[in-house]
Amino acid sequence: MLKRLEELFGVDLGTCNTLIYQQRKGIVLQEPSVVAIQTDTGEIKAFGQEAYNMIGRTPANVEVIYPLKDGVIANFDMTLAMLKYFIGKIKRSYHWFRSFHVLISVPCGITNVQKRAVEEMIVHKGARRSVTIEEPLAAAMGAGLPVAEPIGSMVLDIGGGTSQVAIISLGGIVVSETVRRGGMSIDQDIMEYVKKTYNMVIGERTAEDIKKNVAAVVKPVKEVRMDIRGRDLMEGLPRSISISSSETFEILDDFIKSIVECIRLAMEKCPPELAGDVMEQGILLCGGGALLEGLDKRLQQDLGVPVHLAENPMECIAEGTGKMLNFNGSIIERSSKLIIEDRESVQ
């Protein structure tokens, strides 16, 4: 009877966005991983979408921060408060994570100490159990790849802070590589380009709009233009310009080269049999950065390997945690026992 009352959650805690999967209900929350705080008092003003809407529009005593950096928690207190708020939106009648079991995704490159810090952070605040899972593995499960079979599957997850490449076989990650470039670094590149080329400063929101609406990773057949507004560096007054898709192609070229190099490094470490599987099966492209127009075609052209875009790129990791939760929570039971045994052996 008590087990029926327990809630199981899968959390995709990303640098830019947080998605929460609830067992038997699916994805119940998707919000930006953003917190707005009042600097003089330390009071938290807003979370998620509400805080995101404040970016670039706050007074001097209010700061909008991303509590995660490069896929890793940079501010534990803010992350904890943010998760508490998100879960509270889902289950307002519960005392946050109490009587909850949580499966939370983490980057594949972090250390065991960092993984334990994430687990203990959540357990300390009331969750009965907390288990971490590598993001590429969760993404592969969410996309329906045969991760449990003796077949090599390659996943490229382009997130907000990092891009991860992993080759998966028999339910585990065989080889992985991470580059600290993602959607947010593209925004920064666009801001720098506009500053150097047009002597104009634009905000993060404007740069993101350019990325979503105009950015091209392949040479555009038909040029698309977008009018943007910012502050002139010389005169200090508002100004508007028009930016084209051919310009963004040049901006994104360096980003694509870093992704290609990351994939090549992973392939160099890959066993020959699995490399053959990757050549046959191709590469799964997921994460928010996968939504860049023509990215799958550009990577296929540069690598000579088939590249497939996931059906729901941004939801793959959350869906993967959900599939693991649907094994009646057995993955959490089994993993938590291993964690306890490992900690006892260390002591």
Side-chain angles (χ1 to χ4, degrees):
M1 179 66 71
L2 288 174
K3 285 195 173 182
R4 291 182 183 178
L5 297 175
E6 292 174 344
E7 296 286 349
L8 298 178
F9 289 98
V11 180
D12 173 15
L13 189 60
T15 305
C16 287
N17 294 283
T18 295
L19 287 83
I20 297 179
Y21 184 105
Q22 186 174 2
Q23 191 182 40
R24 295 182 294 273
K25 292 186 179 181
I27 295 174
V28 292
L29 181 136
Q30 180 174 346
E31 293 214 25
S33 304
V34 186
V35 180
I37 60 172
Q38 193 160 333
T39 54
D40 50 357
T41 63
E43 179 189 355
I44 297 175
K45 303 289 290 183
F47 297 96
Q49 188 62 51
E50 186 181 352
Y52 179 80
N53 293 337
M54 297 181 182
I55 293 177
R57 295 182 170 90
T58 58
N61 65 336
V62 176
E63 182 183 6
V64 179
I65 64 169
Y66 288 87
L68 292 100
K69 185 178 181 182
D70 299 332
V72 181
I73 296 173
N75 189 319
F76 275 86
D77 291 336
M78 290 299 153
T79 303
L80 197 59
M82 182 178 71
L83 283 173
K84 181 178 179 180
Y85 172 79
F86 289 158
I87 291 293
K89 288 187 71 173
I90 300 167
K91 283 287 186 183
R92 297 185 183 278
S93 59
Y94 283 81
H95 291 293
W96 198 52
F97 277 138
R98 199 159 301 278
S99 299
F100 291 2
H101 293 224
V102 182
L103 187 63
I104 187 164
S105 65
V106 293
C108 57
I110 70 171
T111 64
N112 288 331
V113 173
Q114 289 172 317
K115 288 181 182 178
R116 287 175 180 174
V118 174
E119 293 162 357
E120 289 173 357
M121 173 191 72
I122 298 174
V123 170
H124 178 69
K125 288 297 180 179
R128 291 198 59 186
R129 288 187 181 88
S130 173
V131 177
T132 55
I133 176 176
E134 289 89 350
E135 289 171 355
L137 182 58
M141 290 193 68
L145 294 182
V147 295
E149 298 178 17
I151 299 173
S153 302
M154 179 178 273
V155 175
L156 170 58
D157 174 27
I158 303 178
T162 60
S163 296
Q164 303 173 77
V165 179
I167 297 173
I168 300 162
S169 179
L170 292 171
I173 294 176
V174 181
V175 175
S176 68
E177 285 289 334
T178 302
V179 59
R180 291 188 175 183
R181 300 206 64 182
M184 294 178 78
S185 69
I186 295 175
D187 297 342
Q188 291 297 321
D189 290 343
I190 292 172
M191 291 166 69
E192 284 295 321
Y193 174 82
V194 173
K195 185 177 180 179
K196 290 180 180 178
T197 308
Y198 296 101
N199 284 323
M200 192 175 86
V201 179
I202 60 173
E204 294 177 21
R205 296 283 298 275
T206 303
E208 188 173 7
D209 288 340
I210 294 170
K211 178 180 67 179
K212 290 179 177 179
N213 300 316
V214 186
V217 295
V218 292
K219 287 186 178 179
V221 178
K222 184 179 180 181
E223 191 166 288
V224 179
R225 302 192 72 86
M226 177 180 175
D227 293 329
I228 59 173
R229 295 175 180 84
R231 176 170 54 84
D232 190 287
L233 279 172
M234 302 295 290
E235 299 179 3
L237 296 173
R239 178 183 160 202
S240 65
I241 61 168
S242 178
I243 192 167
S244 67
S245 53
S246 59
E247 290 177 275
T248 60
F249 172 75
E250 296 175 5
I251 300 169
L252 292 173
D253 195 52
D254 185 58
F255 172 77
I256 298 300
K257 286 178 180 176
S258 65
I259 297 295
V260 170
E261 182 61 25
C262 186
I263 295 172
R264 283 180 177 156
L265 287 172
M267 290 298 293
E268 285 176 5
K269 299 177 183 178
C270 179
E273 289 81 2
L274 294 182
D277 291 340
V278 172
M279 285 295 295
E280 183 179 347
Q281 302 293 328
I283 301 171
L284 176 76
L285 189 58
C286 61
L291 296 171
L292 283 169
E293 188 69 31
L295 181 58
D296 52 344
K297 295 177 182 177
R298 172 68 185 273
L299 291 175
Q300 185 167 322
Q301 174 186 322
D302 290 357
L303 295 165
V305 178
V307 179
H308 312 290
L309 181 64
E311 188 175 347
N312 298 302
M314 289 190 66
E315 299 175 2
C316 281
I317 295 175
E319 290 285 355
T321 61
K323 286 185 177 180
M324 298 188 80
L325 290 174
N326 288 332
F327 292 117
N328 295 320
S330 60
I331 182 67
I332 292 183
E333 293 279 354
R334 190 163 59 251
S335 299
S336 58
K337 287 179 182 177
L338 290 172
I339 290 166
I340 293 167
E341 290 171 3
D342 182 42
R343 287 174 185 166
E344 288 176 349
S345 65
V346 170
Q347 292 173 355

